Amino acid sequence: MVFLTLSCWIRNRGPDRFWKVQELLKHARHFRGRKNRCYKLAVLAVRRAFVYATKSRKLKKRNMRTLWITRIAAATREHNMKYPILMHNLNKCSVQLNRRVISDIAITEPRTFLSLAKLARARQQEGFRAALGDGKEPSGVLSRVMLQ
Amino acid sequence: MSVSTRFGYLQSLRGFAALWRTNGVRVPLHPLLSLCAARTQSSVSGDLLPRTSLSSPPWSEQTSFVSAEEERSRHAAVVSTVNDRIERQDFGRLFAVVHFAARQWKVTNEDLILVENHIEAECGDRIYLEKVLLVGAEDFTLVGRPLLGKELVRVKATVIEKTESCPKIHMVFWKRHRFQKKRTIVQPQTVLRINSIELYPRLS
């Protein structure tokens, strides 16, 4: 006589629950409190952590750029100049260095940064001289004074 | 391409300062000064006109005039000193700013660079990095406008490693809307080692 009903009542709910839970808990092991041990709390915390990581990958680029700009501004003010003047004149000289590299140069290569600042200052003076002019009439323009 | 040296610019700065001090800075004010001096022995020293927003122009008046020939001679002196240095290969370690893979890198010898994309070269291939924006040594800098010539600078690199990045998780979650997406991003990476930066004497 073989009893078959008992074995029909046993359910196999799936052999992998332990590993699926561990896959999520491994991302939570460095958290504080019960969120690093208990699955229900860890699910929410891990989801929040992933979303924050995704958003801050975009924010990091913005923050780094403002940091570079702050550093370059501080370095130019040591040389009696301002940040917008430096960048505008370097653009006009068609020197296409980006802010990350200029801030690295300002930190590690002070002499090169000084030379860039002087280049910008010279270009600024050239611009002033071109704008102020010699005091003569521009060519191709006739004024009443000249006609008389 | 513009060139700058420590010595040249320091000399020119000192020259400018001397000129500025010896020349009269504000010529139109002189007749006023003399008139006031002739009228009274006033004890007011300093500004004789009250300083308003319109008493002086908004730009600084420090433009000391250097004649074109003098400027050209100074520039020629600077260029010749830098040329001598390059011919004698008298500099120590060089650094360069290189444009590569849509980014600019400040690079020296024996540097490692991690580039976040795929490069069409095998491991162990030697590469020239051609877009050089700036080269500097201890005493001089060569600034490209915007690039320096290929005959002037040569940056050699080797491809060391081609791997994939660690898996980054891109997750979007919108609360109270039952909206959640998760995706794993793995990007190819390449590691380059900068072997050397060489300067060849051909400045003009």
Side-chain angles (χ1 to χ4, degrees):
Chain A
M1 210 154 69
V2 185
F3 294 101
L4 296 172
T5 354
L6 253 182
S7 54
C8 293
W9 285 340
I10 296 172
R11 293 193 300 165
N12 187 1
R13 297 284 297 280
D16 298 320
R17 184 187 303 163
F18 173 74
W19 285 282
K20 288 181 186 165
V21 159
Q22 289 307 306
E23 253 185 40
L24 189 118
L25 281 178
K26 81 178 181 221
H27 293 294
R29 286 303 182 199
H30 60 277
F31 291 173
R32 191 192 255 211
R34 272 194 258 180
K35 327 191 264 254
N36 58 27
R37 299 184 289 278
C38 310
Y39 182 78
K40 272 178 103 166
L41 308 174
V43 165
L44 310 172
V46 164
R47 181 200 292 160
R48 231 175 147 76
F50 284 162
V51 169
Y52 282 160
T54 318
K55 286 187 198 164
S56 44
R57 255 178 263 135
K58 293 192 174 178
L59 284 182
K60 180 178 175 184
K61 298 166 180 75
R62 293 180 217 170
N63 295 342
M64 293 301 281
R65 189 170 160 124
T66 46
L67 177 68
W68 297 329
I69 290 178
T70 316
R71 287 182 174 172
I72 298 173
T76 50
R77 274 160 201 267
E78 285 179 3
H79 296 306
N80 304 323
M81 224 163 70
K82 292 187 187 170
Y83 168 83
I85 300 207
L86 177 83
M87 299 311 288
H88 185 50
N89 289 299
L90 284 185
N91 261 327
K92 284 201 277 191
C93 296
S94 62
V95 171
Q96 284 169 17
L97 295 166
N98 64 7
R99 283 146 184 86
R100 158 175 143 176
V101 144
I102 298 182
S103 71
D104 288 342
I105 287 177
I107 294 169
T108 55
E109 323 273 342
R111 291 176 159 193
T112 309
F113 188 78
L114 178 63
S115 70
L116 287 174
K118 283 180 177 166
L119 176 67
R121 183 62 97 187
R123 182 66 183 81
Q124 189 195 29
Q125 301 296 330
E126 259 188 52
F128 285 158
R129 263 180 273 140
L132 294 174
D134 308 324
K136 300 178 202 152
E137 297 276 341
S139 59
V141 171
L142 292 176
S143 65
R144 292 186 65 181
V145 176
M146 283 184 65
L147 282 177
Q148 282 167 4
Chain B
M1 184 191 66
S2 63
V3 163
S4 68
T5 341
R6 306 306 137 228
F7 334 108
Y9 267 100
L10 279 173
Q11 282 167 11
S12 65
L13 264 186
R14 278 188 225 118
F16 283 153
L19 276 173
W20 182 66
R21 274 184 224 128
T22 51
N23 290 350
V25 177
R26 283 188 199 164
V27 174
L29 277 180
H30 280 170
L32 275 172
L33 281 169
S34 58
L35 273 173
C36 291
R39 266 191 233 137
T40 47
Q41 293 279 326
S42 57
S43 53
V44 173
S45 57
D47 293 341
L48 291 150
L49 282 176
R51 241 198 304 166
T52 57
S53 62
L54 291 180
S55 55
S56 67
W59 52 84
S60 56
E61 281 202 35
Q62 267 199 28
T63 52
S64 42
F65 186 70
V66 182
S67 66
E69 296 88 30
E70 215 197 313
E71 232 187 285
R72 244 176 276 143
S73 64
R74 278 185 198 165
H75 290 168
V78 166
V79 171
S80 64
T81 34
V82 178
N83 263 330
D84 289 335
R85 282 295 183 90
I86 295 175
E87 276 187 36
R88 281 178 280 144
Q89 300 280 313
D90 196 9
F91 36 82
R93 183 170 268 259
L94 280 178
F95 80 91
V97 172
V98 159
H99 185 283
F100 184 67
R103 268 154 251 144
Q104 296 180 8
W105 311 84
K106 182 194 158 286
V107 146
T108 16
N109 298 333
E110 305 151 14
D111 254 1
L112 278 176
I113 284 186
L114 180 69
V115 181
E116 286 268 342
N117 54 12
H118 178 67
I119 289 181
E120 302 288 334
E122 300 307 312
C123 291
D125 282 359
R126 309 212 55 171
I127 285 183
Y128 290 140
L129 301 177
E130 285 184 351
K131 294 185 194 165
V132 181
L133 296 156
L134 201 162
V135 169
E138 200 195 326
D139 282 327
F140 64 91
T141 331
L142 302 178
V143 182
R145 292 213 203 187
L147 292 176
L148 291 171
K150 289 190 230 174
E151 316 87 30
L152 185 57
V153 201
R154 194 163 267 193
V155 181
K156 294 185 189 163
T158 324
V159 180
I160 290 187
E161 196 185 333
K162 294 176 79 164
T163 44
E164 291 178 331
S165 70
C166 62
K168 297 183 189 170
I169 303 205
H170 181 95
M171 183 139 185
V172 190
F173 173 74
W174 204 4
K175 58 183 175 184
R176 296 186 293 271
H177 283 79
R178 303 195 189 180
F179 177 75
Q180 182 176 268
K181 280 191 198 172
K182 183 170 159 187
R183 196 178 112 202
T184 323
I185 303 178
V186 171
Q187 277 180 340
Q189 287 175 338
T190 323
V191 180
L192 293 181
R193 165 86 74 181
I194 308 292
N195 299 119
S196 66
I197 304 176
E198 282 152 19
L199 259 191
Y200 301 116
R202 264 214 47 191
L203 272 187
S204 56

